[in-house]
Amino acid sequence: MKTSYNLRSIAAKAINQVLDQGLSLSTVIPELQKNISDKDKALLQEICFGVLRTLPQLEWIIQQLMDKPLKGKQRILHYLIMVGLYQLLYTRIPAHAALAETVNGAVALKKPQLKGLINGVLRQFQRQQDILNERFQNSESRFLHPSWLLARIKKAYPEQWMSIIEGNNQKPPMWLRVNQRHHSREEYLTLLENEEIPAIADDSHPFAIRLENPCNVNLLPGFADGWVTVQDRSAQRCAELLAPENKEQILDLCAAPGGKTTHILEIAPQAQVLAIDIDEQRLKRVQENLTRLKLNAVVKSGDGRYPEQWCTGMKFDRVLLDAPCSATGVIRRHPDIKWLRRNDDIEQLAQIQKEILHAIWPYLKSGGTLVYATCSILPEENKQQVEAFLASTKDAQCDYQHQCLPEEEGGDGFFYALIKKI
């Protein structure tokens, strides 16, 4: 492991890879964390996620403090300034330390001639911080969302849009799913209490526990032995709605990274589960989760639009379709979604969802159950998608549907529809 590095320069590189190269934080961060010490891994994540959560504010401040934006080969220094501003605004890092480490980042990025510029911008911000913060609260950037997404949320939720935006801009709570094959939820709460990890049970979800403060999974009692899984409260509802039973043939479609696959098998350990996902790399996570929890499923790579390529002669009692979507319900967990998604993505995603729904329906047994789920809050992917499917599918009947919105101490934004084949 490298012992000499500048964390702020690494953070600037990560932000550059997201904003200029279109990579996701979940792809970038694990790679960069390989080269830094354990104690710095959490700080790198905090800075990168924080910068992308508050990006419009940081951009707005830089515009006020600099006559010309940094471009071309110097663009990486633009992101380094953002790293410095985020630390001064949102972390408890002493200002002198944040400033010094950020300025030194220019050396690590082989741009030592720009140390003075970075130092000057950050010190100018310190002098004007109060007035700039006040002016920002009256700017159009204060909602911290791209304009196209803000417009869609306002249209879909004219009464609730502000609370949705505020929820998206919060740091997410950490939810656990207790594996009932090992402990009851009450027993696991006691184990957490013994380790001095404050936690609260959720009455509306039988397996869910929220930690008062997120922590490293290795500190959780029995995590390596499969006693508990990190999974948002809203996501846990999918397997609960599916209500799997032992001996049934069950399809988990778009299964990676495997949280719902393993939940199905915790509820019905003797079910025959086929887990399908188009992303072979992410399928490795499904297998890792199954191994940790000592559960068995058939894991295959495949495209949900073409089940004939991976499913020969099988029909299923139950299908869980966690459809590819805009992920607009989990922005607080993945703030890069705001900058990686585009307005025209929504129509394209809705078309893919439609194709998968119609393609997989013939593989559901008569009398069977399909749970359609997304981590989106947009009607085009959810309510409107289900309505269109029901209108064009005579033997489909929707018994239940519900849209969750992101809540500060609650679950993520999620949609579910329980569709029966009659």
Side-chain angles (χ1 to χ4, degrees), residues 95-106:
H96 65 89
L99 216 69
E101 287 294 319
T102 304
V103 170
N104 285 336

Side-chain angles (χ1 to χ4, degrees), residues 12-43:
K13 287 177 183 176
I15 294 155
N16 174 62
Q17 286 180 286
V18 173
L19 297 179
D20 290 1
Q21 298 174 37
L23 301 177
S24 70
L25 274 178
S26 57
T27 299
V28 170
I29 294 285
E31 282 302 308
L32 293 174
Q33 283 179 329
K34 290 176 182 177
N35 298 318
I36 64 177
S37 67
D38 289 343
K39 69 180 179 65
D40 278 342
K41 287 178 180 176
L43 179 57

